[in-house]
């Protein structure tokens, strides 16, 4: 076995102990695996570790009492259903865990590496009263990237400096996010410019390419293709010309059906028979 710190092989046995692992159920019954594990010496003079326990590849993990397959099942239950729902699902497959334990294993999971998105979505949310937070989302994959307290322009600018490569930044009409996008883009790329396209709540800030790339016809076509087109009148505001409109009268006035209905006079009641 090799030492996990220095990687030097060792065969000198220090001691042995029994280790119990839980695995996925078999035939509706819980399965426990009993292993006899050796503890070995590390003979490296420059290694700070003196002893280490051997691990079975694909079966054991350090400080873990479950098999990798069962641990993956617990983590996926927490990711999909969170604490209470994940615990209920695990009870069905004969894994007795509380909701707090499911959340504990969920928080222990390693986050995927942050990949700089091409299209970045920036928005704020209110926790309570005047306490706000900022959320960054990858607009291509619709997955959250980062989350922090407050909605400061300097935080957004610092994030853009650390993660270069953002081409389009989608935001709302907040002036704070506009200042952060402008500061982060101009600090990172001197030749980059920031301009807004659209109006109102649909505006977005684009970090354009350098002038040499923007002068290329392909770059201009990409900018024109990605720029949002806002129609003042949506489809529901457009008139349906297939339906007949109001009919003009002889005097040139346009009378609708409702207007004509109001002008109708009731029929006179039948006269009573005279004696």
């Amino acid at each position: 076995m090799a030492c996990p710190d220095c990687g030097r092989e060792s065969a000198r046995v220090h001691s042995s102990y029994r280790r119990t692992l839980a695995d996925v159920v078999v035939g509706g019954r819980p399965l426990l695996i009993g292993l006899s594990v050796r503890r070995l010496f590390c003979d490296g003079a420059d290694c700070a570790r003196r002893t280490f326990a051997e691990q079975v590849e694909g079966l054991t993990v350090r400080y873990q009492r479950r098999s990798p397959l069962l641990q993956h099942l617990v983590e996926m239950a927490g990711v999909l259903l969170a604490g209470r729902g994940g615990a209920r699902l695990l009870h069905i497959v004969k894994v007795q865990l509380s909701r707090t334990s499911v959340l504990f294993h969920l928080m222990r999971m390693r986050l995927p590496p942050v990949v700089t998105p091409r299209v970045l979505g920036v928005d704020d949310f209110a926790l309570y009263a005047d306490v706000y937070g900022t959320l960054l989302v990858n607009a291509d994959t619709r997955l959250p990237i980062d989350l922090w307290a407050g909605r400061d322009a300097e935080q957004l600018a610092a994030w853009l400096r650390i993660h270069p490569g953002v081409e389009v930044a989608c935001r709302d009409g907040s002036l704070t996010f506009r200042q952060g996008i402008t500061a982060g883009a101009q600090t990172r790329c001197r030749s980059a410019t920031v301009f807004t396209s659209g109006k109102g709540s649909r505006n977005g800030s684009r970090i354009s390419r350098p002038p040499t790339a923007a002068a290329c016809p392909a770059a201009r076509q990409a900018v024109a293709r990605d720029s949002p087109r806002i129609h003042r009148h949506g489809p529901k505001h457009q008139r349906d010309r297939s339906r007949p409109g109001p009919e003009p009268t002889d005097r040139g006035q346009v009378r609708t059906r409702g207007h004509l209905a109001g002008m109708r006079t009731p029929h006179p009641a039948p006269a009573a028979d005279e004696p």
Side-chain angles (χ1 to χ4, degrees):
M1 287 293 297
C3 176
D5 289 350
C6 63
R8 180 173 299 180
E9 296 290 338
S10 177
R12 196 156 61 98
V13 179
H14 173 271
S15 60
S16 62
Y17 65 96
R18 185 176 179 82
R19 185 175 181 180
T20 304
L21 297 176
D23 202 357
V24 293
V25 297
V26 176
R29 296 182 178 181
L31 177 62
L32 296 179
I33 302 175
L35 296 176
S36 180
V37 183
R38 298 179 301 171
R39 180 171 292 276
L40 306 174
F41 283 102
C42 181
D43 298 330
D46 54 348
C47 183
R49 185 181 296 273
R50 295 305 177 189
T51 61
F52 62 93
E54 63 178 349
Q55 304 293 336
V56 180
E57 185 178 358
L59 183 60
T60 61
V61 182
R62 294 182 60 189
Y63 309 113
Q64 187 67 44
R65 296 184 179 182
R66 299 181 184 86
S67 64
L69 183 60
L70 182 57
Q71 182 64 23
H72 179 71
L73 178 63
V74 173
E75 293 175 352
M76 289 301 100
V79 170
L80 297 176
L81 301 175
R84 195 178 301 275
R88 292 176 179 175
L89 177 62
L90 292 175
H91 287 177
I92 297 176
V93 295
K94 306 301 181 180
V95 180
Q96 302 298 327
L97 282 180
S98 64
R99 61 182 182 89
T100 55
S101 298
V102 175
L103 292 176
F104 173 76
H105 290 287
L106 177 62
M107 299 300 295
R108 286 183 55 189
M109 293 181 59
R110 294 184 179 180
L111 296 177
V114 178
V115 179
T116 302
R118 187 185 68 88
V119 182
L120 176 67
V122 184
D123 200 1
D124 57 349
F125 61 94
L127 294 175
Y128 53 89
D130 295 333
V131 180
Y132 293 89
T134 302
L135 175 65
L136 303 183
V137 179
N138 188 340
D140 291 332
T141 60
R142 300 182 181 181
L143 295 178
I145 300 175
D146 204 347
L147 180 69
W148 62 68
R151 47 179 180 178
D152 189 8
E154 184 59 31
Q155 289 181 334
L156 181 58
W159 192 93
L160 290 174
R161 298 188 196 105
I162 300 175
H163 303 84
V166 178
E167 299 180 5
V168 181
C170 305
R171 62 173 180 86
D172 56 3
S174 174
L175 181 61
T176 302
F177 293 151
R178 178 181 179 182
Q179 295 174 352
I181 295 172
T182 305
Q186 292 181 354
T187 303
R188 183 62 187 177
C189 302
R190 296 181 180 179
S191 59
T193 56
V194 178
F195 62 93
T196 58
S197 58
K199 297 180 180 180
S201 61
R202 297 184 180 182
N203 61 352
S205 299
R206 168 176 289 279
I207 302 176
S208 65
R209 300 179 183 272
T212 56
C216 178
R220 291 198 301 268
Q221 294 178 3
V223 172
R225 183 179 65 253
D226 295 338
S227 298
R229 298 179 180 179
I230 301 176
H231 301 279
R232 182 171 298 177
H233 301 286
K236 63 179 181 179
H237 299 289
Q238 297 178 0
R239 178 182 174 183
D240 188 2
R241 301 184 182 275
S242 61
R243 301 178 58 183
E247 299 178 356
T249 61
D250 297 337
R251 297 183 180 180
Q253 298 179 356
V254 179
R255 296 182 177 181
T256 61
R257 296 180 179 178
H259 181 67
L260 295 176
M263 295 177 60
R264 294 176 181 176
T265 58
H267 295 285
D273 297 339
E274 297 180 359

